[in-house]
């Protein structure tokens, strides 16, 4: 295949644009934040499970406290009733029995109040644990929202860049004869499509070419299209090639 050196050189610009288009496409479909966002979703699920467990414990302690409070209220009520009865008791035996019960109720009330204090302490701890877990979840959620917003912005920017690059490529490609462009397109499926040959190395695959191939390339006319024996891309010769 023949093509003017000028047309061959344009392929280097097209290959560069295609590389940048592929990069923009990767940035659009695989934003750098995606992995961490997936991780955060899993972390948040685990944190929510833990929150459910902690809330359950806290609710149990709260129920225990409510039960103790109603027990205390009952004992108080009974003791108050006994005190009233004692005040009007005429029978010494009844009075003694009431005094006995009042003493026992007083002791019971004191025990219940001690237990109440203990449960109140546990409730405070359980409330703190729930709040701390909620704070952890808030941090995870906030990191997730920030990354998600950044990801969306990056994807939008990459999409816009992709459109701009595709427009540039179309404009540049207009200057390349159709057969040469078709050759490039076909070869770009499995290689860089076109690359500079520089100091005996194909810049498409970075392989140093064997001496015999280099000699063939040196001997080839300027308008002969030559290919990399390693990757198959079009090798473009310029004054930088140092052949
Ligand atoms: Zn190559």
């Amino acid at each position: 295949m023949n093509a003017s050196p000028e047309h061959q050189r344009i392929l280097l610009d097209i290959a560069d644009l295609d590389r940048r288009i592929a990069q923009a496409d990767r940035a659009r479909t695989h934003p750098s934040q995606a992995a961490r966002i997936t991780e955060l979703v899993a972390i948040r699920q685990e944190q929510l499970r833990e929150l459910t467990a902690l809330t359950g414990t806290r609710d149990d302690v709260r129920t225990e406290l409510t039960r103790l409070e109603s027990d205390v209220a009952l004992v108080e009520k009974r003791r108050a009733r006994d005190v009233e009865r004692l005040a009007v008791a005429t029978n010494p035996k009844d009075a003694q029995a009431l005094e006995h019960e009042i003493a026992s109720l007083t002791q019971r009330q004191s025990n219940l109040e001690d237990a109440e204090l203990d449960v109140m302490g546990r409730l405070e701890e359980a409330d703190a644990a729930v709040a701390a877990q909620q704070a952890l979840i808030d941090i995870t959620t906030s990191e997730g929202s920030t990354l998600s917003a950044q990801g969306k912005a990056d994807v939008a920017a990459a999409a816009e860049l992709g459109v701009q690059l595709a427009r540039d490529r179309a404009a540049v490609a207009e200057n390349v004869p159709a057969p040469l462009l078709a050759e490039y397109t076909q070869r770009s499926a499995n290689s860089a499509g076109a690359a500079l040959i520089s100091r005996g190395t194909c810049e498409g695959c970075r392989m140093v070419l064997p001496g015999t191939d280099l000699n063939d390339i040196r001997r080839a006319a300027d308008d002969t299209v030559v290919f990399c024996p390693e990757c198959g891309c079009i090798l473009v010769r310029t004054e930088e090639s140092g052949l």
Side-chain angles (χ1 to χ4, degrees), residues 50-124:
E50 180 67 15
L51 179 67
T52 305
L54 289 170
T55 308
T57 305
R58 196 261 323 267
D59 291 349
D60 288 350
V61 177
R62 222 178 237 172
T63 307
E64 200 180 336
L65 183 61
T66 308
R67 192 174 50 74
L68 279 169
E69 280 167 354
S70 89
D71 284 356
V72 168
L74 265 177
V75 171
E76 268 178 340
K77 205 170 150 191
R78 230 174 113 187
R79 193 174 155 273
R81 192 198 58 193
D82 284 356
V83 168
E84 270 174 36
R85 280 186 182 170
L86 181 62
V88 294
T90 47
N91 185 327
K93 227 174 182 175
D94 288 350
Q96 202 180 13
L98 282 167
E99 271 168 3
H100 187 75
E101 195 175 296
I102 287 166
S104 142
L105 285 170
T106 304
Q107 184 56 51
R108 168 128 178 84
Q109 188 175 340
S110 162
N111 291 346
L112 283 171
E113 280 166 354
D114 285 349
E116 217 179 349
L117 276 178
D118 174 58
V119 172
M120 279 162 95
R122 276 162 51 210
L123 182 58
E124 210 170 289

Side-chain angles (χ1 to χ4, degrees), residues 202 204-206 228 230-233 235:
C202 164
C205 64
R206 304 272 159 203
C228 171
E230 298 294 338
C231 68
C233 77
L235 282 176

Side-chain angles (χ1 to χ4, degrees), residues 9-239:
R9 272 172 204 232
I10 299 174
L11 293 182
L12 292 179
D13 296 335
I14 293 182
D16 182 52
L17 282 164
D18 281 348
R19 202 163 37 242
R20 286 158 64 201
I21 286 168
Q23 257 172 22
D25 207 47
R26 266 196 304 279
R28 183 178 59 78
T29 53
H30 298 89
S32 63
Q33 299 86 353
R36 179 64 181 155
I37 289 173
T38 306
E39 212 171 83
L40 286 173
V41 168
I43 290 172
R44 191 164 180 279
Q45 262 168 5
E46 187 48 51
Q47 287 174 338
L48 282 170
R49 255 196 297 279
E50 180 67 15
L51 179 67
T52 305
L54 289 170
T55 308
T57 305
R58 196 261 323 267
D59 291 349
D60 288 350
V61 177
R62 222 178 237 172
T63 307
E64 200 180 336
L65 183 61
T66 308
R67 192 174 50 74
L68 279 169
E69 280 167 354
S70 89
D71 284 356
V72 168
L74 265 177
V75 171
E76 268 178 340
K77 205 170 150 191
R78 230 174 113 187
R79 193 174 155 273
R81 192 198 58 193
D82 284 356
V83 168
E84 270 174 36
R85 280 186 182 170
L86 181 62
V88 294
T90 47
N91 185 327
K93 227 174 182 175
D94 288 350
Q96 202 180 13
L98 282 167
E99 271 168 3
H100 187 75
E101 195 175 296
I102 287 166
S104 142
L105 285 170
T106 304
Q107 184 56 51
R108 168 128 178 84
Q109 188 175 340
S110 162
N111 291 346
L112 283 171
E113 280 166 354
D114 285 349
E116 217 179 349
L117 276 178
D118 174 58
V119 172
M120 279 162 95
R122 276 162 51 210
L123 182 58
E124 210 170 289
E125 283 168 19
D127 275 334
V130 168
Q133 188 64 18
Q134 188 57 61
L136 271 184
I137 292 167
D138 290 348
I139 290 169
T140 309
T141 306
S142 152
E143 190 190 340
S145 323
T146 305
L147 280 180
S148 181
Q150 279 171 3
K152 272 183 196 153
D154 285 1
V155 165
E160 202 184 314
L161 179 63
V163 169
Q164 180 60 51
L165 289 170
R167 205 177 292 145
D168 292 351
R169 187 200 191 275
V172 173
E174 273 179 14
N175 302 315
V176 181
L180 181 62
L181 190 61
E183 188 71 38
Y184 163 83
T185 305
Q186 194 202 330
R187 287 172 183 270
S188 67
N190 300 308
S191 70
L196 183 71
I197 173 164
S198 173
R199 291 185 190 83
T201 304
C202 164
E203 291 203 337
C205 64
R206 304 272 159 203
M207 295 295 284
V208 177
L209 304 187
T212 48
D213 290 313
L214 275 177
N215 281 333
D216 288 348
I217 292 166
R218 280 191 194 106
R219 275 198 293 269
D222 283 353
D223 63 350
T224 298
V225 178
V226 294
F227 307 104
C228 171
E230 298 294 338
C231 68
C233 77
I234 295 169
L235 282 176
V236 180
R237 292 162 285 167
T238 72
E239 56 282 355

